[in-house]
Amino acid sequence: MTEDEMDERTREALRGYRVPPPAPLDDMWDAIEQRHFGTPVVALADHPKAKARGKGIRRWFGPPSWAVVVAGMAATLMIGVSIGRMSNGIAPVFTYEPGDGRYDYWSANAEPYRQATTDYLGETAALLTALPAAARDGQPDARFVAHAGDLLSTTRMLLDSPAAESDPRLKNLLEDLELVLAQLAQLPPERRGPELTLIAEALEQRDVVPRLRSAAASISSDDN
Amino acid sequence: MPRAAAIVRDQAVPLDERVLIARILDGDRVAGRQLYEAHAARVHRLVYRLCGDAELAQDFTQDTFVRAFDQLGRFRGEAAFGTWIHRIAVTVTLNGMRKVKRLRERETTLDDDAGLGTVSHRSDPDLRSRIAAAIDALPEGTRLTLIMHDIEGYTHAEIAESLGIAEGTSKSRLFDARGRLRQALAAFVKE
C-alpha cells in the first residue's frame, strides 16, 4: 500500500469514527427549556412525552433520598465544626481527603477571600441540607427563599472575584451553586413543593453537597 | 412539531445573536430556541464524537445549553457565541465522561469484568476499528484536537478558542496525533 493510499484510507476511517446519529433536537430542547425557562412542573409531569422520554427527564422525579438528608446533615455538621475551629485558630478536627485534588487557589494567596468563601460555603451547605425536608413539607417559608437570594448575590460576587478566576474547580462549584440558588430564589409560591423535589434531585445528581464538603475541607484545612 | 419550534424554523431573517441573547436574558424562550437551533446540531455532533454514546451525548448537550443560558449574563461577546458554547460543551463532556468512567470502573471492580472501557488491540479485524482504538488511546487533549480538526473540520483558531490553548499548541497536538495514528496503521499493514 502506498503512502497516498494509506492516507486516503486513514481519512475514510477517521470519517467513520463515532458517526453521530441525528440530533434529537426537539427532545433536547424540551429538557433545556424546562430546566432554564421553567416549564410548569405539573404540565410536564402530565405531558405524555414526559413519561416516554427516558431517564433524562424521569430522573428528575421521585421521592427525596434519605441518604441525601443524612449525608447533608453530616456535611453541615462537619463544616460547622470546621468553621468553628478555624475561627478559634485551631486546626480542623476532621481529615477529609479530597478525591480530585485540592482547591489550588487556596494554596497560593487568597486570604481576603478565604473567610468569605468559607462562611459562604457553610451557609450554603446549611441551606441545601435543609432542602429535602423543605421539599417534603412543600411550603418553605419566605425566609428560606430570601436567604437563597442573599446567597445567590454572594455567589455572583465570588464568581467575579480572583478566587474563582484562579481556581477552576471552585469556579465550577460556584457555577453549580449559582444555578441551584437561582432556582430556589425564584420559586413561585404555588409550585414550591414539586420544584423543591426537582432541585433536591438535581443536587444529588450533581454531587453538590459532597463537593461543598470537599471545598470547605480543602480550603479550611490549608495551612497557608 | 412544538409551536415554538415551528415559529423558529419559519424565521427567514438571519439570526442576530446579540439580539437573541438580549431577548433570552429577558426570559424569551423563543429566542432561546432560535439560538439553540443555530448551534445545537454542531454541538451535539462534537459531543457525540467525544463520548460515543447517544444517551450521554443528549444529556451533555442539554447540560451545555442550560449552563450557557444560565451564564449568558456573563457572556461578554469577546468571542463568537458558537466558540463560547463549544468551550462549555467540551468542559461539560470531559467532566461528564470522567464521572461516567469512575462509575464504570467501580462497576467493573464489582463485576470483576476487566474488559469494560478498554479496546483490544490484538483482535481488531479492520482498519476502521484499528483507527478507532488508536484514537481512543490518544491523550485527551491530542484526541480532542484530532477529532475537532480532522473529523469535524474546526480550524486551529476555533480549536484554540474552544480549548483555551494557543493555536501553535493545537497544531503540534494534531501533528502528534497523526504521527501516532500512522504508527498504529504501519503496524496494521505489517500484520
Side-chain angles (χ1 to χ4, degrees):
Chain A
M1 189 184 298
T2 67
E3 201 162 304
D4 284 348
E5 286 171 337
M6 180 65 84
D7 283 347
E8 181 52 36
R9 289 188 64 184
T10 304
R11 278 193 290 273
E12 272 178 37
L14 280 174
R15 283 193 290 271
Y17 176 75
R18 293 181 177 174
V19 178
L25 293 177
D26 286 339
D27 283 349
M28 289 194 299
W29 173 253
D30 287 348
I32 293 163
E33 184 181 31
Q34 191 268 324
R35 286 169 64 186
H36 178 74
F37 293 100
T39 303
V41 174
V42 174
L44 181 68
D46 290 343
H47 196 288
K49 280 180 82 176
K51 293 171 184 165
R53 189 168 294 136
K55 77 170 187 136
I57 289 297
R58 279 202 303 272
R59 69 186 183 191
W60 284 78
F61 294 88
S65 160
W66 280 104
V68 174
V69 178
V70 173
M73 290 169 70
T76 306
L77 195 61
M78 291 170 72
I79 291 168
V81 170
S82 172
I83 292 170
R85 290 283 181 142
M86 254 183 49
S87 65
N88 292 325
I90 301 169
V93 290
F94 64 91
T95 53
Y96 180 78
E97 294 292 335
D100 297 317
R102 292 187 166 278
Y103 282 72
D104 294 329
Y105 184 78
W106 306 101
S107 61
N109 53 358
E111 207 53 44
Y113 296 98
R114 177 194 294 274
Q115 190 60 52
T117 305
T118 309
D119 290 347
Y120 160 81
L121 292 173
E123 283 187 44
T124 308
L127 182 87
L128 296 184
T129 51
L131 202 145
R136 278 196 308 279
D137 295 344
Q139 285 299 324
D141 62 29
R143 281 178 302 174
F144 183 94
V145 176
H147 192 39
D150 293 340
L151 288 171
L152 178 62
S153 303
T154 309
T155 310
R156 287 174 174 159
M157 283 191 283
L158 285 172
L159 270 169
D160 289 334
S161 76
E165 286 303 317
S166 306
D167 187 339
R169 291 187 66 220
L170 177 63
K171 186 177 182 185
N172 190 262
L173 174 62
L174 290 171
E175 285 169 353
D176 279 350
L177 292 175
E178 182 190 29
L179 171 61
V180 172
L181 292 169
Q183 288 174 313
L184 289 174
Q186 293 166 8
L187 279 177
E190 69 279 9
R191 295 204 308 269
R192 282 181 182 168
E195 292 274 12
L196 281 177
T197 302
L198 296 184
I199 296 169
E201 291 294 311
L203 279 180
E204 186 179 6
Q205 283 167 23
R206 301 182 71 84
D207 290 334
V208 172
V209 173
R211 286 164 62 206
L212 262 176
R213 180 175 58 178
S214 170
S218 180
I219 293 166
S220 64
S221 63
D222 264 345
D223 291 333
N224 45 64
Chain B
M1 183 188 298
R3 187 166 170 271
I7 293 168
V8 168
R9 286 170 184 164
D10 285 346
Q11 293 282 330
V13 293
L15 300 178
D16 182 332
E17 291 187 339
R18 282 170 301 178
V19 173
L20 288 180
I21 288 168
R23 284 168 53 195
I24 294 167
L25 289 171
D26 282 341
D28 183 340
R29 63 186 67 208
V30 175
R33 175 80 193 220
Q34 285 180 286
L35 196 60
Y36 164 82
E37 288 277 340
H39 297 280
R42 198 170 186 224
V43 167
H44 179 266
R45 280 182 66 84
L46 176 62
V47 169
Y48 184 87
R49 297 272 196 196
L50 295 180
C51 74
D53 180 281
E55 199 170 349
L56 287 177
Q58 184 170 342
D59 281 353
F60 294 156
T61 304
Q62 288 167 190
D63 289 347
T64 296
F65 277 92
V66 170
R67 183 171 288 197
F69 287 164
D70 289 343
Q71 297 177 5
L72 212 48
R74 291 206 298 277
F75 175 63
R76 304 285 180 227
E78 289 154 356
F81 178 81
T83 304
W84 188 66
I85 199 164
H86 276 80
R87 189 170 195 159
I88 296 174
V90 169
T91 304
V92 165
T93 304
L94 294 183
N95 287 343
M97 289 301 294
R98 287 187 194 112
K99 192 169 178 180
V100 168
K101 191 179 171 195
R102 280 200 297 272
L103 287 171
R104 286 185 179 166
E105 282 170 353
R106 213 171 295 159
E107 287 167 6
T108 304
T109 307
L110 290 173
D111 297 342
D112 197 25
D113 173 7
L116 189 63
T118 61
V119 178
S120 167
H121 290 254
R122 287 172 298 180
S123 58
D124 290 342
D126 57 22
L127 180 63
R128 182 169 291 189
S129 58
R130 177 61 65 102
I131 289 266
I135 294 171
D136 290 344
L138 292 172
E140 188 174 87
T142 308
R143 188 172 73 92
L144 269 172
T145 306
L146 178 80
I147 290 172
M148 292 182 79
H149 190 279
D150 278 6
I151 302 179
E152 285 297 315
Y154 291 73
T155 65
H156 283 296
E158 288 173 321
I159 294 169
E161 282 275 356
S162 298
L163 303 184
I165 57 176
E167 275 192 56
T169 307
S170 175
K171 289 174 185 171
S172 66
R173 282 181 179 177
L174 185 63
F175 182 80
D176 180 38
R178 287 173 174 169
R180 288 172 190 247
L181 288 187
R182 263 187 228 106
Q183 281 180 353
L185 287 174
F188 174 75
V189 171
K190 281 175 192 165
E191 286 168 13

